[in-house]
Structures are given as C-alpha cells and as structure tokens.
Amino acid sequence: MIATLKLSARNLLRYRRRTLLTALLITLGVVALLLFVSTASTFRNVMVGSITDSMLGHLQIHRKGYTSAIDNLPLNLNLGAGALTKVDKILKAEPAIAAYSTRVKIGAMFSNFAETTSIRLNGVDPVAEDATVPALRKRILDGGQTGSLVEPGQVLIPQLIAKGMKVKVGDAIVLVVTNASGSVNAKNFTVRGVLDSVTGPGGRDGYINIQDARELLRMDKPEAMEIAIRLKDFDQLETVSARIQDRLNTEVLNKDDKPVTELHLWSDLSPFATIVKMIGLMTTFIRIMLISIVLVSVMNVMLMAVYERIREIGTLAAIGTRPGKIMGLFLGEGLLLGLAGAAAGIAISYGLVVLFHAWPINFTYGRNELSLVPELAASEVLIVLGMAVLVSALASLQPAWRAANMDPVTALRHV
Amino acid sequence: MSLIHATDIKKHYRVGEIDVPALKGVDFEIDTSAFVAIVGPSGSGKSTLLNLIGCLDHPSSGTLLVNEVEVSKLSRADAADFRGEHLGFVFQDFNLVPVLTAYENVEYPLLMVRGWSADKRHERVMKILDAVGMKEQAHKRPDQLSGGQKQRVAVARALVGEPKLVLADEPTANLDHDTAYRILNLMKKMRDDFGTTFVFSTHDPKIMSEAEVTFILEDGKLSRQGENA
C-alpha cells in the first residue's frame, strides 16, 4: 500500500506543471468554499444573535393559535394563571435555560394629549427581560442604556411613534387599552426611552412594566401572552426545545387533556430564518461547485495520465502486476492529488482567517456596528477535506479501471 | 526435460470482417535452460508467439504448456500471478518505468509483485545489478542511461525474481551491433549462472547465430533449424 502510494506520488511529480495546476484548481475551490462557509456562518451567527438577543429570545411559549393571530394580540390568547404556574415549574426545572421573561402583550392607543395612534406593547419584568434579551437595552436610542429597563409608570416607545407623534424622553403620554371584558382603561406614563426598530415580530413594539400592563388590563390573576426563553448554549436549541415541548405537551393540558401551549423556535417567528435557509442553500451550491471542480480536473488529469502511459501499463501487467494493483496505482495518484490540493486550500484558508481576525469586516445593521470575524469550524474543514479526497478517488475510478483492464498486448504495442 | 510444450497452436486475429491467421498450427518443445532464437521477418508472428508463451494472449486453439501449466486457460489475474512467479520479459524499447531509478526498476517486481521484505529485496537487487554490470549505475534514472545500459537493467529486472523463463522480444533491435552482442552474451551468461531458459525473437541473421537452438517462423509456420554448439 505504502509502496503503491509512493509510486503514485512519483508519477504525479513526473508532470509537475500539470499536477501543480490541477492541485491549484482544487486549492482555489477549497479556499472559496471554506471562506464562504466561515464568513456566511459567522454572518448568520451575528445576525441571529442580534435578533434573538434584542427581541425574540431563543424560544417562545404561547397559547395555541397565537401565531395565526400574531397581528391582533387578542387577549383570549393569554395563558391563564394555572397554565403559567405549570410552565414556570417546567422552565425552572430545565437546567439548559439561562433566563426567561413572561410578557403581557397589548394592543393599545397611544396619546400625546394632542394626537392618538395605535401601539403594540410588551409588559415585562425588567430584570427577567434584561436577562432574556440582553441586547434590548442597546436598542435604546434616547433615554440612556443604563439603569432599570422600564420601571412602573415608564414606557419605552418605538422610534417611528416618537417621530410621528413628536414625543421625546421625559414627555408624559397616555396609554388606553380595552380589557378582556370590553371595558376601557387608561394610564399616564413618562417616556423612558426611544427604541430603534428591528425587522421581525415585535421589532416595532413598545415596552412597559408588567405591573402596569396587568393594571391596565385589570387582571385579577397573573396572565401572560408570551414567555421568551434564553438558553445557556444556543447550539442545544433543537434538543432543549424538544425536551420542553415534551413536558408542555404532557403537563400543561386543558380540560379535554389537550396541550394548551405551543413552543416556537426563533426561526419559526423571524423572517431572517429564510435568509439563514438561503445561506444554507448557497453553501450547498458552492459545495456542488467544489465537487464539480475536483471531479472534472482530477478525472481529466487521470485520463491523460492513463493515455500517456498505456505502454508503461502494459509493461507493469507483463511483469506480473495484478490488475487490482495497477488500479490502486492510478487511484492513489488521484487521491494524493485531491489530498494535496485540499490540504493546501485548508492551510491558505486558515491563513486568511487569521488575517480576517486582524482586520475584521465591519458593517452596520440598524444602529448596530457589527464585526464579521470568520471562524473555521473543525467539522467543516474535515467535511471539505473528506469531500475533496473522496471525489478525487471517485474521479480516478474510471481511468484507473481502464488502466487495470487494459489488454497487455495492445498496451505494449501502443506507440 | 521440456519447459515449453506447444501442440497445434493457432492464432488468428479478426480485422473487420476478415480473419487474419498469425500462427497456423505450431508445434514445438523448448527444454529447460535452453537459449533459443525465434527468427522471422517482420509480421511473421514472432511477437504473437512470445505473447502466447508469456500468457499475455490466448491462442485461438491448441494446447500450450509452460512449466507444466496450461497457460491458455489461465484467467487474467492468474496469468498475472503466473508471469510474476515464473516469467521475465525483456522488450525491444526496454520499457523501464521512467520515474524509477535503475535500482527501483529492478526492485519493482519483488516489491509490487512478490512482496519481498526490504532486506531480502536489497540483497537480491544488488546481486543481480552486479551480475549485469550495472551496480555503479543503480541510482540513475532511465533517461541518464545509454541504450545498452537500459537493456542491461531490463535484463536484470527480468531475472531478479529468478524466473524459469525469460522472453525477449527483439531485445537487440534498438542497439548498435557491439552492444547487441554484449547483451546477448550477458543473457547467455545469465542462463549459465542461473539456469534460466531464454527465448528471444530477432529478424537479424547475425544475432540468430548466437542462439543454441533456432526456430524459423515464416507465414505462420514454425520450423526448427538446428542447434549451434
């Protein structure tokens, strides 16, 4: 085996320029793929982090039917006190959860005493909300990002409303709501801050303290429409959500023993999930391109190698080399070519990633300055290496088979 | 005792719609340790006959025993094993592997075909290179050797596995007269030293005189001419 590979390597070096050019093609393909994958995955992680940390959380629990009524926020979709207690117990028992925030969501009228407009509000516990979506306070444009997020009597209003209603921090406003029984209630608030808008559900919502929300809605018992959850490790999203979903489906039931709640991943709620899928699709296309580059270039070189060495193949067969060994010789050449090209590509990619760390790509998302520092995952590197080697071996298969099955007499006569 | 025994060997090739006979019923025997020339003009079927003896090709009919094995019935892989075990080849164009040194070319059959250990290989290769006078050139690649030196290496490669039979197809055709004689004398010496049977083809009447037994192949028919002392 080692002897065969040694001879394969020597045969590759026989045509240095051709080997170098083919290996270079594979190298370029590997570099392009690894850089795209690492940059795209870092971009995805930054964007997902920005959305989940400033607004959605990683997971959300709602009463069944919430997503179809997401624009209206009907109060009959609130989770009652009994369900909330059970959910609370489940979440407290789950070790993978870092924090969770119970939200009362309200559709209200916003008045500056001169004009009125509609506003969507989240009634939140400031400490729990801060722990669940730590980047929310970074969206505060005016009013200061330090201190309590929102105290009773304060409101954080979206930028569009602040501009449209000509309201600034410290101004007094009135929020008017209709509660579940149909009666109207109002309360004075002071503008605590103005929030930057972000894409997605809740991206243009205001925030008040949960006590105020319950007071406005005249709730006798604590109810909530949404529970946002932050995990300790985002990579465990699928596992943890499945575990919580199982418990919700068996422990939080209505009178007919049917599950009361539905659990949503951030990706179920944010339109950015489509972009994430697109990135995945583009990665697949680029992978296919790499496979094609390796396949065509290695196959071309190996076919040339077989054609140019027909007489030599005849000699090897004549002196007793078994067809399997002749095949191994050519397979080895293709394999080494793929391995060398991929290894060089991986080394160059690591070098470029180091350069990106020194000079990161900066871009603006909303009001946030984000830095794109690509990371090369070891698993991705192994996949690319395996792919290049496997495809090289596959590309060499036909030429190698042809060499192994060549008629020795015809091969020896070849000029 | 005969090493090769051929009975009514026929070989014809299909060229388009036409059957072209290359050998028209050939019978012969070649003894162990013989030094045999097969002589005939170009296209007379010399190479075809050597290919059949060397299990590189199958006869259309007839029986061909080499070392008591019916070689015409061997499968492709078994034929390769038989060649690796019992036969050595010397070619008109030397057919050395260009990326390997003289040493490695000679070592190739032991490494890739026989699977000998490194020490055993080294000892044997150096011995045979010494025997053909190429020990000092062992590290050189084929493109650094003259035609005569290449053929010496080719003879060493054919003999390294101690085969019973070496088949040489026009081994002197690409060599000048003096070198051709030196190669033939080398082959004869190897026969004397190792007891190997040599069968070579030639169309050169001067070279033919070096053989101890000569077969004339003409128009697909073989006749034994006689023995030289």
Side-chain angles (χ1 to χ4, degrees):
Chain A
M1 176 77 176
I2 292 167
T4 307
L5 281 176
K6 243 166 120 175
L7 195 53
S8 296
R10 284 204 187 177
N11 282 327
L12 280 178
L13 293 174
R14 192 192 300 198
Y15 307 102
R16 281 172 202 272
R17 192 177 296 174
R18 189 166 69 195
T19 301
L20 197 69
L21 282 173
T22 311
L24 192 67
L25 204 60
I26 297 169
T27 300
L28 287 175
V30 167
V31 170
L33 175 62
L34 283 179
L35 277 191
F36 176 79
V37 168
S38 62
T39 312
S41 103
T42 309
F43 170 73
R44 185 193 59 204
N45 292 344
V46 167
M47 295 304 292
V48 170
S50 152
I51 290 164
T52 56
D53 292 358
S54 73
M55 185 169 65
L56 288 181
H58 298 151
L59 294 165
Q60 289 190 356
I61 297 170
H62 305 103
R63 179 177 279 278
K64 268 196 184 299
Y66 170 80
T67 44
S68 52
I70 198 164
D71 291 329
N72 307 325
L73 305 177
L75 294 171
N76 63 354
L77 285 181
N78 274 346
L79 289 164
L84 276 180
T85 311
K86 287 175 187 169
V87 171
D88 203 46
K89 188 179 155 199
I90 292 168
L91 299 184
K92 278 203 167 96
E94 176 54 59
I97 291 177
Y100 62 94
S101 176
T102 306
R103 294 170 178 170
V104 176
K105 295 179 90 79
I106 313 168
M109 295 304 290
F110 178 100
S111 171
N112 62 0
F113 302 102
E115 292 175 281
T116 303
T117 188
S118 62
I119 184 171
R120 290 163 54 102
L121 291 165
N122 289 290
V124 297
D125 173 77
V127 177
E129 189 71 10
D130 228 0
T132 308
V133 283
L136 172 61
R137 57 173 61 247
K138 288 184 187 163
R139 286 174 50 206
I140 301 175
L141 302 174
D142 295 319
Q145 294 183 347
T146 54
S148 174
L149 197 62
V150 62
E151 286 296 300
Q154 291 182 332
V155 61
L156 283 166
I157 59 169
Q159 190 184 16
L160 284 174
I161 288 185
K163 273 190 182 166
M165 301 294 283
K166 297 181 185 66
V167 174
K168 55 184 187 303
V169 174
D171 285 356
I173 57 104
V174 177
L175 292 175
V176 183
V177 301
T178 305
N179 70 6
S181 62
S183 62
V184 177
N185 195 14
K187 189 174 176 182
N188 287 341
F189 286 86
T190 307
V191 176
R192 141 85 173 90
V194 177
L195 281 175
D196 186 20
S197 301
V198 289
T199 311
R204 292 185 175 86
D205 288 1
Y207 286 82
I208 58 174
N209 193 285
I210 196 164
Q211 288 175 28
D212 291 333
R214 284 179 174 150
E215 192 185 318
L216 272 168
L217 291 168
R218 291 186 174 136
M219 286 178 179
D220 299 331
K221 293 176 185 171
E223 293 179 16
M225 193 172 284
E226 182 170 286
I227 299 160
I229 301 165
R230 180 179 184 77
L231 303 184
K232 287 175 183 163
D233 181 3
F234 182 74
D235 293 337
Q236 289 194 333
L237 191 67
E238 301 285 339
T239 327
V240 178
S241 66
R243 208 155 57 212
I244 296 171
Q245 181 80 72
D246 276 353
R247 289 200 65 184
L248 290 172
N249 286 349
T250 52
E251 295 175 35
V252 188
L253 305 171
N254 61 16
K255 286 173 194 166
D256 301 326
D257 277 345
K258 297 248 170 81
V260 172
T261 58
E262 52 190 23
L263 181 74
H264 299 110
L265 308 184
W266 75 272
S267 52
D268 300 330
L269 301 164
S270 171
F272 187 73
T274 314
I275 296 172
V276 171
K277 278 182 192 156
M278 291 293 291
I279 291 172
L281 201 64
M282 283 167 72
T283 307
T284 307
F285 281 134
I286 291 191
R287 279 205 177 113
I288 291 170
M289 276 175 64
L290 174 71
I291 289 171
S292 312
I293 289 171
V294 175
L295 199 73
V296 172
S297 52
V298 173
M299 195 179 239
N300 179 44
V301 164
M302 294 318 297
L303 279 171
M304 293 271 284
V306 170
Y307 183 75
E308 285 169 351
R309 278 150 52 194
I310 290 177
R311 202 159 180 177
E312 189 179 312
I313 293 164
T315 308
L316 298 184
I319 61 181
T321 314
R322 294 196 102 190
K325 278 204 173 161
I326 294 176
M327 192 163 172
L329 204 62
F330 283 88
L331 271 180
E333 282 182 40
L335 202 85
L336 288 176
L337 194 58
L339 193 68
I346 288 166
I348 292 171
S349 301
Y350 269 114
L352 289 173
V353 164
V354 169
L355 289 179
F356 275 124
H357 275 254
W359 293 282
I361 303 165
N362 297 312
F363 67 100
T364 310
Y365 179 68
R367 296 290 176 111
N368 297 325
E369 283 291 330
L370 300 174
S371 258
L372 207 56
V373 185
E375 296 286 349
L376 261 184
S379 58
E380 189 61 43
V381 171
L382 286 177
I383 287 171
V384 170
L385 183 66
M387 210 163 71
V389 171
L390 188 74
V391 174
S392 300
L394 281 176
S396 317
L397 212 55
Q398 195 274 341
W401 186 87
R402 198 174 147 193
N405 288 284
M406 215 171 262
D407 172 34
V409 174
T410 313
L412 284 168
R413 275 194 200 130
H414 186 83
V415 181
Chain B
M1 189 187 146
S2 66
L3 179 71
I4 307 168
H5 189 112
T7 313
D8 196 22
I9 295 289
K10 289 178 183 163
K11 178 71 184 175
H12 41 86
Y13 296 104
R14 190 100 182 145
V15 181
E17 298 291 310
I18 306 161
D19 259 349
V20 180
L23 297 173
K24 300 172 180 171
V26 169
D27 299 276
F28 66 95
E29 280 188 35
I30 293 174
D31 291 338
T32 302
S33 300
F35 197 74
V36 180
I38 297 172
V39 184
S42 292
S44 60
K46 301 188 297 289
S47 296
T48 300
L49 185 57
L50 287 183
N51 288 339
L52 295 180
I53 299 169
C55 342
L56 294 169
D57 204 355
H58 293 298
S60 305
S61 65
T63 55
L64 178 57
L65 295 172
V66 178
N67 196 32
E68 296 176 352
V69 173
E70 173 54 281
V71 292
S72 58
K73 293 201 169 89
L74 291 177
S75 70
R76 197 181 172 84
D78 289 342
D81 288 345
F82 185 83
R83 287 195 297 269
E85 186 71 26
H86 299 292
L87 306 181
F89 287 86
V90 179
F91 302 96
Q92 179 179 336
D93 294 321
F94 327 121
N95 290 17
L96 300 176
V97 181
V99 289
L100 303 180
T101 62
Y103 178 94
E104 289 163 338
N105 263 291
V106 177
E107 188 193 27
Y108 182 92
L110 304 181
L111 177 68
M112 299 293 280
V113 181
R114 298 281 185 92
W116 283 19
S117 70
D119 290 346
K120 202 173 159 192
R121 280 200 314 266
H122 181 73
E123 191 186 333
R124 176 68 189 158
V125 171
M126 290 317 286
K127 185 179 170 189
I128 203 80
L129 278 173
D130 193 26
V132 299
M134 288 298 291
K135 196 176 172 184
E136 301 304 317
Q137 319 290 330
H139 61 283
K140 288 189 177 170
R141 292 211 172 157
D143 58 358
Q144 297 168 308
L145 300 173
S146 67
Q149 287 173 323
K150 283 181 199 170
Q151 201 59 302
R152 281 171 183 269
V153 175
V155 170
R157 181 179 65 185
L159 287 167
V160 74
E162 298 176 334
K164 291 207 161 47
L165 171 66
V166 170
L167 298 164
D169 192 3
E170 305 260 12
T172 57
N174 282 345
L175 303 174
D176 61 65
H177 194 258
D178 288 348
T179 314
Y181 273 100
R182 277 202 290 274
I183 290 294
L184 280 177
N185 286 330
L186 171 72
M187 284 163 54
K188 213 180 262 178
K189 183 176 181 297
M190 295 297 109
R191 190 280 310 268
D192 294 340
D193 290 352
F194 301 114
T196 312
T197 307
F198 274 82
V199 178
F200 64 95
S201 65
T202 183
H203 60 267
D204 184 346
K206 288 176 197 162
I207 297 292
M208 157 187 141
S209 61
E210 292 297 313
E212 292 164 358
V213 180
T214 305
F215 287 97
I216 305 289
L217 188 59
E218 247 177 333
D219 196 23
K221 291 279 186 185
L222 190 76
S223 57
R224 188 174 171 132
Q225 197 192 46
E227 291 186 23
N228 302 319

